Each structure stands twice: as C-alpha cells, then as structure tokens.
Amino acid sequence: MAINDSEPDLPEPIREHIGHLLIKVLDYFDIQFERHDIASDISLVVMVIIFSVIAYFTIKHLTHVIITHLAKNQNTNIRLTVERKKVPNKLAIIIPFYFVITAIELIIGKIGFVPDLINTTLAALGGLLILRVIFSSLDTFLILAMTHPVGQRFPLHGIVQFFKILMAFIGILIITSQFLNRTPVYLLSGIGVVAGMLIFIFKDTILGFVAGIQLAANDMVSIGQWIQLDKHKINGIVQEVTLTTVKVQNWDNTIAMVPSQTLMNEPFVNWYGVDQIGARRIKRCLYVDIDTLNFVDSDMLAKLKQIDLISPYLSHKVEQLSEYNDALPDNTPMVNHRKLTNLGCFREYMTRYIESQGNIRHDLTLMVKQLETNNFGIPLEVYCFVNTTVLREYEQAQADLFDHFYSIMAEFNLKPVKVPLKVKNNIDN
C-alpha cells in the first residue's frame, strides 16, 4: 500500500480498524490511495457503498431472525409491538454509517476543510444512532420480558427507565467531551460540584426508584396483582410499575398513579394470596334479634328433627343432655337442667349447610362463630372460603348462602335484625 503523503489523520479506533481496512482493500485491487487523486476518491466511495449495502442487509436479516425467534411464541399484538420498535433497521445502520464517516474522514483529511468540527459532529451523530439502538433494544426486552411471570414480578419499567437515563447521561457526557476536546473523566470531575443540586432536584425520582427496587426485592407488589389502599381510595389491578410510580386500574376502570414511596411508607393490602390458593374468603355477619332467643321445646325439637342436615346432631345432643339431666337429683330445679337453644341449633345448621355446598373449600378454615352481643343483636359470623377467585362467582356464592340463612331463620323461631350499613361495616372491620 502506497500513499504519497503522510497517512490521513484518523481518530482512534477508526484509524486502526475501518480506515486501514478500506485502504488495504483498495490496495488489494492495486489501487493506491493517493492524495489529490479523484480516481482513488471515487474508488473509495464505490467500495464504501458496496460494503455498506452488504453490511446493512446482512445485519438487518440476522437481527430480524433473532428477534422473530424470541417473539415466535407471543401473540400477534406482542409481535407487532416488537416490530414497531424497528431494532433490526436501527442496528443495521450503525456499521454502514461508520463506513461512510470513515470515508468522509479520509477525504476531509485530504481537503483540510474544518476536519475537526466535521469529524466531531459525525462522531456525535454516531453516538446518537447507538443510543437509538440501545433504547429500542431495551424497549423490546421489556415487551418480551413482561410476557413471562418472572418479568411481571419485578419493576422492569423502572429498571429500563433507569438504564435509559444512565445511557443518555453517558452518551451526552461522551459527545460533550468530543466537542470540548476533553476526556470524559475531566467532565466527571466537574460534575461533583453540582451533584448536590442534582440530588435535590431529582430527590423524588431517586427515592421513588429506590422504593421501586425495595418493592420488587421484597415481592410486595408486581404487575397483575390486586392491591387496595383505602386511604387513597385505590382498589384494583396493578398495570405498570415504573421508575417512581405504580399504575393501578381501579374496579371502576379509572386509572390511579401511586408513588412507590406511598406503598413503602403506608399500609396497603395485596390480594395476591387469593390468586395463589385459588379461593376467596367469606367473612360476613348475620344479626339475630336477641328477643327471639329461646330454649327448644318438644314441639320445636320434633320440627327441627325433620331437617336432614341437623337431625343426627339433634339426636346425639338430646341423648347427651338426657344423660346429664338424668344424673341430677330428683329435686333439682329446672334452671339447672341443660337444654338446647334455638340459636345453638341454628348455628349448627349454618355450619353443616356451608359444609354441604360444593363450592366451599373444606381444606381451609370453615366455621360459624358467635361474636360479642351489641345494641343490634347477636352477630353470627360466617367464615369460609369459596373455591373461586372470580368476583361475580364469589359474590353469587356469598349471596346464595345468606339468602338461604335469612329465609330459614323462621324455622328456628329466630328473626334477623336490620343494621345500618355504616354501623355494620364498622362492626365487621
């Protein structure tokens, strides 16, 4: 390879790689790259065009094949979203771009017309192209990762945003250092002066990001989970976890943006366990009029024994009570005898009726308990789990139970009490 004048001044590492490669290829075809030679310039431009076209289509094809393979199991909407990011096109332009700017540097080095400014501008443009590829690649990674359960457990939106900011900062730092003809380390030393101001300005962003990492590390909230914050009137499904906020779609389809710090600093309910066990809890009270509470006489006992669910229980209980009462002295007052109560029989009936339902989970807690009597009567709390997490099916099962209990109370000579809704909610909570 022969060059009449000194070799063009190419910046590192381009001079070591692409520039020498182009000159050596020309030399392979017995074309000497000489200064002030139009023929060598034309040969260089033609070769760069050929190399650029080959590199562009080769890289584009390979990248498209890889991304298509990664997204092949996804639905059509996911694949279209990935294609709109145009990662293959953006990545394929990088190598041809550096072929072109290397050729320009070679020619500019011969012409000598403000080469430093042009080279620096081209280098900055190359950095911007690389940032576009990085941003699109991060977006594509996010789209594909969010289709997997593992990806939904972490605040990937926030992590991707953090890396975008980091890459943008590094890119701006390098481009600025190119224009100022200073090393990035020199600029970093000056950043320490304004670090305090930056921390103050981006305090909420930094705290939100740290809170988002803590939420993910402790597995407190992730996309698809149902959370509830009564203080902020938020009750819905988590749609997105970003750098500083959590996006929640409420049951009324309104969208709420909750700062990550709020979830770290204030108590909230995550109903993720409901989906894990595949069951939802029923915890509701039925209020009985205390004036209707009474002992079971012989006529009522005969009537209640006709109810199949508690007939065995009543027979066994009557036998127990008879043995106890027969063991008492003959002159024992009736007040010392043990008797069945209509409320106790009704409570047993409620338990057995719940157990007989096919949509109730028997492997989880199931009971009917009597709570402390209040001004509104005697609360009987139903505590059990329905074997569904579908809200409509759950509400239907709960309503069916209480419809039946309210309807059959009269068979036990009991009456329900109407409790004001606000008071009832306070009692239940």
Side-chain angles (χ1 to χ4, degrees):
M1 178 179 67
I3 302 178
N4 287 347
D5 298 321
S6 60
E7 188 176 288
D9 185 18
L10 294 177
E12 302 289 351
I14 295 176
R15 187 172 63 85
E16 294 183 355
H17 300 290
I18 301 180
H20 278 183
L21 173 64
L22 295 176
I23 295 174
K24 287 182 179 180
V25 172
L26 288 176
D27 186 56
Y28 179 78
F29 290 99
D30 294 329
I31 301 174
Q32 294 183 348
F33 189 78
E34 299 179 356
R35 296 191 182 282
H36 312 295
D37 184 10
I38 299 299
S40 63
D41 290 343
I42 295 175
S43 301
L44 179 65
V45 170
V46 171
M47 184 177 59
V48 165
I49 292 174
I50 295 173
F51 279 15
S52 298
V53 171
I54 295 174
Y56 177 82
F57 286 102
T58 301
I59 296 173
K60 180 180 177 180
H61 176 72
L62 291 177
T63 308
H64 179 75
V65 169
I66 294 173
I67 294 179
T68 303
H69 176 74
L70 294 175
K72 67 178 181 180
N73 296 325
Q74 309 304 329
N75 58 47
T76 303
N77 290 334
I78 296 294
R79 291 197 298 268
L80 290 176
T81 304
V82 170
E83 289 177 3
R84 281 197 291 268
K85 297 302 177 181
K86 297 182 179 180
V87 176
N89 294 0
K90 294 176 181 178
L91 182 61
I93 201 68
I94 299 296
I95 297 301
F97 174 79
Y98 275 102
F99 274 129
V100 172
I101 65 172
T102 302
I104 293 174
E105 289 169 350
L106 287 170
I107 297 173
I108 287 176
K110 292 162 56 179
I111 298 174
F113 177 71
V114 290
D116 291 338
L117 178 60
I118 294 178
N119 290 341
T120 302
T121 304
L122 292 174
L125 181 59
L128 293 176
L129 291 176
I130 293 175
L131 280 179
R132 289 180 69 231
V133 174
I134 294 175
F135 287 177
S136 296
S137 300
L138 288 173
D139 290 337
T140 302
F141 163 78
L142 177 62
I143 294 169
L144 296 177
M146 294 304 297
T147 61
H148 297 277
V150 176
Q152 296 179 359
R153 290 183 53 222
F154 298 95
L156 293 182
H157 285 86
I159 294 174
V160 167
Q161 288 175 350
F162 171 77
F163 276 105
K164 281 185 176 181
I165 293 174
L166 180 62
M167 292 296 104
F169 173 77
I170 294 174
I172 293 173
L173 185 68
I174 294 175
I175 291 173
T176 305
S177 65
Q178 288 287 328
F179 278 104
L180 297 179
N181 197 23
R182 298 282 188 175
T183 64
V185 177
Y186 174 82
L187 296 179
L188 282 174
S189 62
I191 290 178
V193 178
V194 296
M197 294 181 59
L198 292 175
I199 292 175
F200 177 77
I201 294 172
F202 296 103
K203 178 184 67 175
D204 293 337
T205 302
I206 295 172
L207 292 177
F209 176 73
V210 173
I213 296 298
Q214 289 178 314
L215 289 175
N218 297 318
D219 199 17
M220 297 173 64
V221 64
S222 60
I223 293 175
Q225 293 182 354
W226 170 20
I227 64 173
Q228 180 177 348
L229 292 87
D230 293 331
K231 180 179 178 181
H232 301 279
K233 297 181 180 180
I234 292 173
N235 188 355
I237 304 298
V238 176
Q239 299 292 315
E240 188 176 290
V241 181
T242 64
L243 187 63
T244 57
T245 59
V246 176
K247 181 180 178 182
V248 180
Q249 182 178 13
N250 293 315
W251 291 115
D252 57 359
N253 289 325
T254 58
I255 301 297
M257 304 300 293
V258 188
S260 300
Q261 292 175 261
T262 300
L263 297 180
M264 287 299 302
N265 299 330
E266 298 181 12
F268 70 95
V269 177
N270 189 333
W271 295 89
Y272 177 58
V274 172
D275 294 326
Q276 276 190 317
I277 65 173
R280 292 192 63 175
R281 183 189 68 178
I282 293 178
K283 184 177 181 290
R284 179 180 290 185
C285 287
L286 183 154
Y287 294 86
V288 180
D289 187 348
I290 195 170
D291 293 332
T292 60
L293 178 61
N294 213 328
F295 290 114
V296 176
D297 57 22
S298 57
D299 293 337
M300 180 181 289
L301 180 62
K303 183 176 67 171
L304 294 181
K305 279 189 174 181
Q306 297 178 8
I307 303 176
D308 293 339
L309 284 176
I310 59 171
S311 180
Y313 163 78
L314 292 174
S315 299
H316 176 70
K317 201 68 176 176
V318 167
E319 183 179 348
Q320 274 188 335
L321 295 179
S322 297
E323 291 179 358
Y324 176 85
N325 293 332
D326 291 343
L328 297 175
D330 294 339
N331 59 350
T332 302
M334 290 301 296
V335 70
N336 293 326
H337 286 67
R338 293 175 60 188
K339 297 181 180 180
L340 288 171
T341 64
N342 57 349
L343 184 63
C345 293
F346 180 58
R347 189 173 66 250
E348 182 66 23
Y349 173 82
M350 291 175 67
T351 302
R352 292 176 180 256
Y353 181 80
I354 295 172
E355 291 175 342
S356 68
Q357 301 304 299
N359 57 356
I360 301 297
R361 290 278 294 268
H362 292 180
D363 57 327
L364 300 175
T365 304
L366 188 159
M367 62 180 174
V368 177
K369 59 181 179 178
Q370 180 176 322
L371 303 181
E372 182 179 356
T373 304
N374 53 55
N375 295 334
F376 301 96
I378 305 174
L380 296 181
E381 183 182 78
V382 173
Y383 193 101
C384 61
F385 291 82
V386 181
N387 62 356
T388 181
T389 59
V390 180
L391 182 61
R392 182 175 180 178
E393 296 176 1
Y394 162 77
E395 292 292 350
Q396 184 66 42
Q398 183 172 233
D400 288 344
L401 283 179
F402 281 84
D403 287 349
H404 180 79
F405 293 149
Y406 280 118
S407 301
I408 205 170
M409 285 181 70
E411 298 295 325
F412 296 83
N413 293 343
L414 295 171
K415 292 182 180 180
V417 177
K418 295 181 180 179
V419 181
L421 181 61
K422 183 176 181 180
V423 176
K424 180 180 180 300
N425 290 337
N426 291 336
I427 295 174
D428 291 346
N429 292 334

